[in-house]
């Protein structure tokens, strides 16, 4: 499973990219607002930090303007994935971009039927919003499973990018079902490494090591080499 980080915060992206865990980045208008940055400038910086796909979302809701905006965003860097909403205008823009050989991420997906349309429109990524479905009492993971089955039935190459991920269990369940990518907020990506038994075990090792009075020192290796 690939991990994308769902943020436009440059400091967070830089820090997490150093772990080797960041395969791409997703942004959206709300994340650009949160960053307080100009979309072109911040997206250019993100694309320079992360070689994988960087999703940048159009702002318009009509196909013609989406197409103009998407082409402008794609000109920022070769690793841009143009993000469009799952509407008929968005699907039309998706088909235009796909025919031009551009990567498209179709976002705001809440049903398997919508995901089928995105695949037929040539999307490189479909973004089902797991957490927002959970928020209204549905099971977002059921949607991931339905899309996996449909895409596998027909051999669609569109990648399932599990979005609106709220915690470790979402990542685990999406991986078990076979989502290709999870886009996760920085806090969730960091939390994947946490386990209370890891903390407890490490504290014990640190305490016991201190009692040995030893140091791991390369200068004591001797002159064999
Ligand atoms: O990239 C969009 C998606 O991940 C949004 O998540 O938490 O705002 O529902 P959230």
């Amino acid at each position: 499973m690939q991990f994308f980080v769902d943020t436009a915060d440059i400091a967070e992206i830089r820090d997490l990219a150093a772990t080797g865990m960041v395969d791409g980045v997703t942004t959206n208008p709300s994340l650009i607002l949160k960053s307080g940055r100009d979309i072109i400038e911040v997206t250019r910086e993100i694309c320079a930090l992360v070689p994988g796909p960087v999703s940048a979302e159009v702002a318009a809701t009509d196909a013609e303007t989406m197409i103009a905006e998407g082409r402008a965003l794609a000109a920022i860097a070769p690793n841009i994935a143009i993000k469009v909403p799952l509407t008929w205008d968005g699907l039309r823009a998706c088909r235009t971009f796909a025919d031009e050989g551009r990567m498209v991420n179709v976002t705001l997906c809440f049903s398997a039927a919508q995901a089928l349309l995105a695949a037929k429109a040539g999307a490189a990524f479909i973004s089902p919003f797991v957490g927002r479905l959970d928020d209204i009492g549905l099971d977002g993971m059921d949607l991931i499973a339905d899309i996996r089955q449909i895409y596998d039935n027909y051999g669609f190459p569109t990648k399932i990018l599990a979005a609106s991920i709220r915690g470790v269990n979402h990542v685990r369940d999406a991986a078990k079902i076979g989502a290709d990518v999870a886009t996760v907020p920085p806090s969730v990506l960091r939390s994947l490494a946490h386990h209370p038994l890891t903390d407890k075990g490490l504290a014990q090792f640190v305490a016991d090591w201190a009692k040995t009075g030893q140091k791991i020192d390369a200068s004591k290796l001797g002159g064999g080499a």
Side-chain angles (χ1 to χ4, degrees), residues 6 26 28 83 129 132 163-164 166 183:
D6 201 24
T26 51
N28 61 38
K83 208 170 175 188
F129 276 32
R132 293 192 196 184
S164 189
R166 303 281 168 75
T183 188

Side-chain angles (χ1 to χ4, degrees), residues 31 43 75 77 98 111 128 131 144 152 159 180 210:
L31 293 171
T43 305
S111 80
I144 302 290
D152 288 349
K159 289 187 172 169
D180 302 284

Side-chain angles (χ1 to χ4, degrees), residues 59-218:
T61 55
D62 67 284
E64 290 314 314
T65 317
M66 278 187 207
I67 291 166
E69 289 179 349
R71 286 177 181 150
L73 293 170
I76 295 172
N79 54 330
I80 286 285
I82 304 163
K83 208 170 175 188
V84 300
L86 212 155
T87 60
W88 280 112
D89 283 272
L91 292 168
R92 205 178 117 204
C94 178
R95 172 43 64 196
T96 300
F97 294 139
D99 288 346
E100 292 172 351
R102 304 183 198 277
M103 262 191 301
V104 185
N105 175 358
V106 178
T107 189
L108 290 167
C109 172
F110 294 95
S111 80
Q114 288 181 315
L116 179 56
L117 294 179
K120 288 177 71 65
F125 300 99
I126 182 68
S127 290
F129 276 32
V130 173
R132 293 192 196 184
L133 282 168
D134 290 357
D135 290 345
I136 61 163
L138 298 174
D139 186 342
M141 227 29 85
D142 285 349
L143 176 56
I144 302 290
D146 286 348
I147 299 172
R148 182 72 282 154
Q149 184 181 346
I150 290 167
Y151 283 7
D152 288 349
N153 282 349
Y154 296 98
F156 285 119
T158 304
K159 289 187 172 169
I160 301 173
L161 198 175
S164 189
I165 292 287
R166 303 281 168 75
V168 172
N169 291 352
H170 275 160
V171 176
R172 178 201 61 203
D173 293 344
K176 283 173 73 177
I177 291 165
D180 302 284
V181 189
T183 188
V184 291
S187 59
V188 173
L189 186 50
R190 289 199 175 86
S191 72
L192 295 179
H194 292 161
H195 196 284
L197 290 179
T198 303
D199 297 341
K200 190 178 168 196
L202 181 59
Q204 184 71 56
F205 288 157
V206 168
D208 287 347
W209 181 250
K211 288 178 200 160
T212 71
Q214 298 182 44
K215 283 204 167 94
I216 299 173
D217 184 350

